[in-house]
Amino acid sequence: MISRRVRDIDYQLLPGADRKTTDIVIERNGIIAVRPPKHFTAEQVDAVVDSKRLWIYKNLAEWRDLNAAHVVREWVNGETFLYLGRNYRLKLVSNQDTQLKLKNGYFCLSRDVIDLGGEQAAKATLEAFYTEKGLQRLLERVNYFAPKAGVVPVAIKVKDHGFKWASCSKAGKLAFHWKCMMAPPKIIDYIVAHELCHFHYRDHSVAFWNEVDKLMPDYAERKAWLRDYGASLDF
Ligand SMILES: [Zn+2]
């Protein structure tokens, strides 16, 4: 089995089989497994996966919804968590200098966190991780987009923002939900651009969307992604 990546889709390439079409399956653990016809090259399989990406997004979102609804997180090795649009598997480790770190493609969580504090502590540790990384990334993206939007935010905060992805106050303070960090980078950028445009218009009028369009001409696609898959950004 070979791990491959096409744009933002990671998949496992299974050995070729005696078949005419490529079989794409979302496995029980959320891994995308692809079995192509025997003679296909890896590049040909990449092209098929790319052409099926909307189907894959849709099915991944359904898979996540089902899992969110029916499966209680067990905080065991192999559980997956989203970070910047990619799934990372959990690995419980001993003797780690920090409670949680991303290493070699795994979320390495110190076993002590679960042993001492249980599920609640594990959840809190993950939230703290998203919050800390979120502050770095969101600050960087705000600094990138703010001059383009011609606005000057005065503060930025990352927190549990309830049902909101982000908000901005009249005084120019930005707040983002830590869950934004589960979304692909393109979607995070859309959330940032959207909030910054609210400095000009505090509604969702045509004038507001024109501002967003100036910053991000393909915003509609990103907006639609968030509408369709936003609910799956959770754990
Ligand atoms: Zn808005």
Side-chain angles (χ1 to χ4, degrees), residues 152-182:
V152 185
V154 297
I156 164 171
K157 196 195 250 178
V158 179
K159 60 176 193 175
D160 184 332
H161 210 348
F163 293 110
K164 283 186 187 164
W165 291 111
S167 65
C168 77
S169 73
K170 278 193 181 128
K173 290 183 184 168
L174 290 163
F176 296 91
H177 201 303
W178 55 261
K179 281 182 189 170
C180 291
M181 290 300 283
M182 300 180 104

Short mmCIF file of all heavy atoms in Angstrom, two decimals, residues 152-182:
data_model
loop_
_atom_site.label_atom_id
_atom_site.label_comp_id
_atom_site.label_asym_id
_atom_site.label_seq_id
_atom_site.Cartn_x
_atom_site.Cartn_y
_atom_site.Cartn_z
N VAL A 152 -7.30 47.92 9.41
CA VAL A 152 -6.30 47.72 10.46
C VAL A 152 -6.96 47.13 11.71
O VAL A 152 -7.51 47.86 12.53
CB VAL A 152 -5.61 49.06 10.82
CG1 VAL A 152 -4.49 48.82 11.82
CG2 VAL A 152 -5.08 49.74 9.57
N PRO A 153 -6.93 45.80 11.84
CA PRO A 153 -7.50 45.19 13.05
C PRO A 153 -6.68 45.58 14.27
O PRO A 153 -5.48 45.80 14.16
CB PRO A 153 -7.36 43.68 12.79
CG PRO A 153 -7.08 43.55 11.33
CD PRO A 153 -6.38 44.81 10.92
N VAL A 154 -7.34 45.66 15.44
CA VAL A 154 -6.59 46.06 16.63
C VAL A 154 -6.22 44.87 17.51
O VAL A 154 -5.28 44.96 18.30
CB VAL A 154 -7.38 47.10 17.49
CG1 VAL A 154 -7.58 48.37 16.70
CG2 VAL A 154 -8.70 46.51 17.96
N ALA A 155 -6.95 43.76 17.37
CA ALA A 155 -6.64 42.59 18.19
C ALA A 155 -7.17 41.33 17.53
O ALA A 155 -8.09 41.39 16.71
CB ALA A 155 -7.25 42.75 19.58
N ILE A 156 -6.57 40.21 17.88
CA ILE A 156 -7.04 38.95 17.34
C ILE A 156 -7.00 37.89 18.44
O ILE A 156 -6.04 37.83 19.21
CB ILE A 156 -6.22 38.52 16.09
CG1 ILE A 156 -6.43 37.06 15.75
CG2 ILE A 156 -4.77 38.84 16.22
CD1 ILE A 156 -5.83 36.67 14.43
N LYS A 157 -8.06 37.09 18.47
CA LYS A 157 -8.20 36.12 19.54
C LYS A 157 -8.69 34.81 18.92
O LYS A 157 -9.46 34.82 17.96
CB LYS A 157 -9.26 36.68 20.49
CG LYS A 157 -9.31 36.02 21.86
CD LYS A 157 -10.61 36.39 22.52
CE LYS A 157 -10.42 37.34 23.69
NZ LYS A 157 -11.69 37.71 24.30
N VAL A 158 -8.25 33.69 19.48
CA VAL A 158 -8.74 32.38 19.04
C VAL A 158 -9.37 31.72 20.26
O VAL A 158 -8.76 31.68 21.33
CB VAL A 158 -7.60 31.50 18.48
CG1 VAL A 158 -8.14 30.14 18.06
CG2 VAL A 158 -6.94 32.19 17.30
N LYS A 159 -10.60 31.25 20.11
CA LYS A 159 -11.31 30.72 21.28
C LYS A 159 -12.41 29.76 20.84
O LYS A 159 -12.60 29.52 19.64
CB LYS A 159 -11.93 31.89 22.04
CG LYS A 159 -12.92 32.69 21.19
CD LYS A 159 -13.58 33.79 22.01
CE LYS A 159 -14.78 34.37 21.29
NZ LYS A 159 -15.53 35.34 22.07
N ASP A 160 -13.14 29.21 21.82
CA ASP A 160 -14.34 28.44 21.49
C ASP A 160 -15.41 29.48 21.19
O ASP A 160 -15.88 30.18 22.10
CB ASP A 160 -14.74 27.56 22.67
CG ASP A 160 -15.94 26.69 22.30
OD1 ASP A 160 -16.75 27.09 21.44
OD2 ASP A 160 -16.06 25.60 22.88
N HIS A 161 -15.79 29.62 19.93
CA HIS A 161 -16.68 30.70 19.51
C HIS A 161 -18.10 30.18 19.26
O HIS A 161 -18.83 30.73 18.43
CB HIS A 161 -16.11 31.34 18.25
CG HIS A 161 -16.43 32.81 18.11
ND1 HIS A 161 -17.36 33.44 18.90
CD2 HIS A 161 -15.93 33.77 17.28
CE1 HIS A 161 -17.44 34.71 18.54
NE2 HIS A 161 -16.58 34.94 17.57
N GLY A 162 -18.45 29.10 19.95
CA GLY A 162 -19.81 28.57 19.81
C GLY A 162 -20.10 28.13 18.40
O GLY A 162 -19.33 27.39 17.81
N PHE A 163 -21.21 28.62 17.81
CA PHE A 163 -21.57 28.22 16.46
C PHE A 163 -20.95 29.10 15.39
O PHE A 163 -21.18 28.91 14.20
CB PHE A 163 -23.10 28.21 16.31
CG PHE A 163 -23.74 27.15 17.14
CD1 PHE A 163 -24.50 27.47 18.26
CD2 PHE A 163 -23.56 25.80 16.82
CE1 PHE A 163 -25.08 26.47 19.03
CE2 PHE A 163 -24.14 24.81 17.59
CZ PHE A 163 -24.89 25.14 18.71
N LYS A 164 -20.19 30.10 15.81
CA LYS A 164 -19.60 31.02 14.83
C LYS A 164 -18.18 30.60 14.46
O LYS A 164 -17.43 30.13 15.29
CB LYS A 164 -19.51 32.42 15.44
CG LYS A 164 -20.82 33.15 15.48
CD LYS A 164 -20.56 34.56 15.97
CE LYS A 164 -21.86 35.30 16.20
NZ LYS A 164 -21.65 36.50 17.01
N TRP A 165 -17.82 30.80 13.19
CA TRP A 165 -16.44 30.57 12.77
C TRP A 165 -15.56 31.74 13.21
O TRP A 165 -14.42 31.55 13.59
CB TRP A 165 -16.35 30.43 11.25
CG TRP A 165 -16.98 29.17 10.76
CD1 TRP A 165 -18.13 29.05 10.02
CD2 TRP A 165 -16.52 27.85 11.01
NE1 TRP A 165 -18.40 27.72 9.81
CE2 TRP A 165 -17.44 26.96 10.40
CE3 TRP A 165 -15.43 27.31 11.70
CZ2 TRP A 165 -17.28 25.58 10.45
CZ3 TRP A 165 -15.27 25.94 11.75
CH2 TRP A 165 -16.19 25.09 11.14
N ALA A 166 -16.14 32.93 13.09
CA ALA A 166 -15.35 34.12 13.40
C ALA A 166 -16.28 35.31 13.58
O ALA A 166 -17.45 35.25 13.23
CB ALA A 166 -14.37 34.39 12.26
N SER A 167 -15.72 36.38 14.12
CA SER A 167 -16.50 37.60 14.26
C SER A 167 -15.55 38.78 14.33
O SER A 167 -14.35 38.60 14.55
CB SER A 167 -17.34 37.55 15.55
OG SER A 167 -16.47 37.54 16.67
N CYS A 168 -16.10 39.97 14.08
CA CYS A 168 -15.28 41.16 14.31
C CYS A 168 -16.14 42.22 14.98
O CYS A 168 -17.30 42.39 14.64
CB CYS A 168 -14.65 41.67 13.01
SG CYS A 168 -15.74 42.56 11.94
N SER A 169 -15.55 42.88 15.96
CA SER A 169 -16.30 43.89 16.71
C SER A 169 -16.18 45.23 15.99
O SER A 169 -15.30 45.40 15.14
CB SER A 169 -15.74 44.02 18.12
OG SER A 169 -14.49 44.69 18.07
N LYS A 170 -17.04 46.15 16.37
CA LYS A 170 -17.00 47.49 15.76
C LYS A 170 -15.67 48.17 16.04
O LYS A 170 -15.18 48.97 15.27
CB LYS A 170 -18.14 48.34 16.30
CG LYS A 170 -19.45 48.06 15.57
CD LYS A 170 -20.51 49.12 15.85
CE LYS A 170 -21.79 48.76 15.12
NZ LYS A 170 -22.96 48.75 15.98
N ALA A 171 -15.06 47.78 17.18
CA ALA A 171 -13.78 48.38 17.56
C ALA A 171 -12.60 47.79 16.79
O ALA A 171 -11.47 48.23 16.95
CB ALA A 171 -13.56 48.19 19.06
N GLY A 172 -12.89 46.76 15.96
CA GLY A 172 -11.80 46.19 15.15
C GLY A 172 -11.12 44.99 15.76
O GLY A 172 -10.00 44.64 15.40
N LYS A 173 -11.80 44.33 16.71
CA LYS A 173 -11.24 43.13 17.32
C LYS A 173 -11.77 41.89 16.61
O LYS A 173 -12.98 41.73 16.44
CB LYS A 173 -11.63 43.05 18.80
CG LYS A 173 -10.95 44.07 19.66
CD LYS A 173 -11.34 43.88 21.12
CE LYS A 173 -10.73 44.98 21.98
NZ LYS A 173 -11.30 45.02 23.32
N LEU A 174 -10.84 41.03 16.21
CA LEU A 174 -11.22 39.80 15.51
C LEU A 174 -11.20 38.62 16.47
O LEU A 174 -10.33 38.53 17.34
CB LEU A 174 -10.23 39.50 14.39
CG LEU A 174 -10.26 40.43 13.18
CD1 LEU A 174 -8.99 40.27 12.37
CD2 LEU A 174 -11.48 40.10 12.32
N ALA A 175 -12.16 37.72 16.29
CA ALA A 175 -12.15 36.48 17.08
C ALA A 175 -12.43 35.32 16.14
O ALA A 175 -13.28 35.42 15.25
CB ALA A 175 -13.21 36.54 18.18
N PHE A 176 -11.70 34.23 16.31
CA PHE A 176 -11.88 33.05 15.48
C PHE A 176 -12.09 31.82 16.35
O PHE A 176 -11.50 31.70 17.43
CB PHE A 176 -10.63 32.80 14.61
CG PHE A 176 -10.36 33.89 13.63
CD1 PHE A 176 -9.54 34.96 13.96
CD2 PHE A 176 -10.93 33.85 12.36
CE1 PHE A 176 -9.29 35.98 13.05
CE2 PHE A 176 -10.68 34.86 11.44
CZ PHE A 176 -9.86 35.93 11.78
N HIS A 177 -12.91 30.90 15.86
CA HIS A 177 -13.08 29.63 16.55
C HIS A 177 -11.84 28.76 16.30
O HIS A 177 -11.32 28.75 15.19
CB HIS A 177 -14.32 28.90 16.03
CG HIS A 177 -14.84 27.87 16.98
ND1 HIS A 177 -14.08 26.83 17.45
CD2 HIS A 177 -16.06 27.73 17.56
CE1 HIS A 177 -14.80 26.08 18.29
NE2 HIS A 177 -16.00 26.62 18.37
N TRP A 178 -11.38 28.05 17.32
CA TRP A 178 -10.20 27.19 17.12
C TRP A 178 -10.48 26.11 16.09
O TRP A 178 -9.57 25.57 15.47
CB TRP A 178 -9.71 26.58 18.45
CG TRP A 178 -10.73 25.82 19.23
CD1 TRP A 178 -11.44 26.28 20.31
CD2 TRP A 178 -11.15 24.46 19.02
NE1 TRP A 178 -12.29 25.30 20.77
CE2 TRP A 178 -12.14 24.17 20.01
CE3 TRP A 178 -10.81 23.47 18.11
CZ2 TRP A 178 -12.77 22.93 20.09
CZ3 TRP A 178 -11.46 22.24 18.20
CH2 TRP A 178 -12.42 21.98 19.17
N LYS A 179 -11.78 25.79 15.88
CA LYS A 179 -12.14 24.77 14.89
C LYS A 179 -11.75 25.17 13.47
O LYS A 179 -11.68 24.32 12.58
CB LYS A 179 -13.64 24.48 14.93
CG LYS A 179 -14.05 23.58 16.06
CD LYS A 179 -15.54 23.32 16.00
CE LYS A 179 -16.00 22.59 17.25
NZ LYS A 179 -17.46 22.54 17.33
N CYS A 180 -11.54 26.47 13.24
CA CYS A 180 -11.10 26.92 11.91
C CYS A 180 -9.85 26.14 11.49
O CYS A 180 -9.62 25.90 10.31
CB CYS A 180 -10.76 28.41 11.92
SG CYS A 180 -12.17 29.50 12.13
N MET A 181 -9.04 25.77 12.48
CA MET A 181 -7.78 25.10 12.17
C MET A 181 -7.96 23.68 11.65
O MET A 181 -7.01 23.04 11.22
CB MET A 181 -6.87 25.09 13.40
CG MET A 181 -6.34 26.46 13.74
SD MET A 181 -5.39 27.17 12.38
CE MET A 181 -3.86 26.27 12.58
N MET A 182 -9.18 23.18 11.70
CA MET A 182 -9.44 21.86 11.12
C MET A 182 -9.69 21.97 9.62
O MET A 182 -9.59 20.99 8.89
CB MET A 182 -10.65 21.21 11.81
CG MET A 182 -10.43 21.03 13.30
SD MET A 182 -11.84 20.26 14.10
CE MET A 182 -11.21 18.62 14.31
#
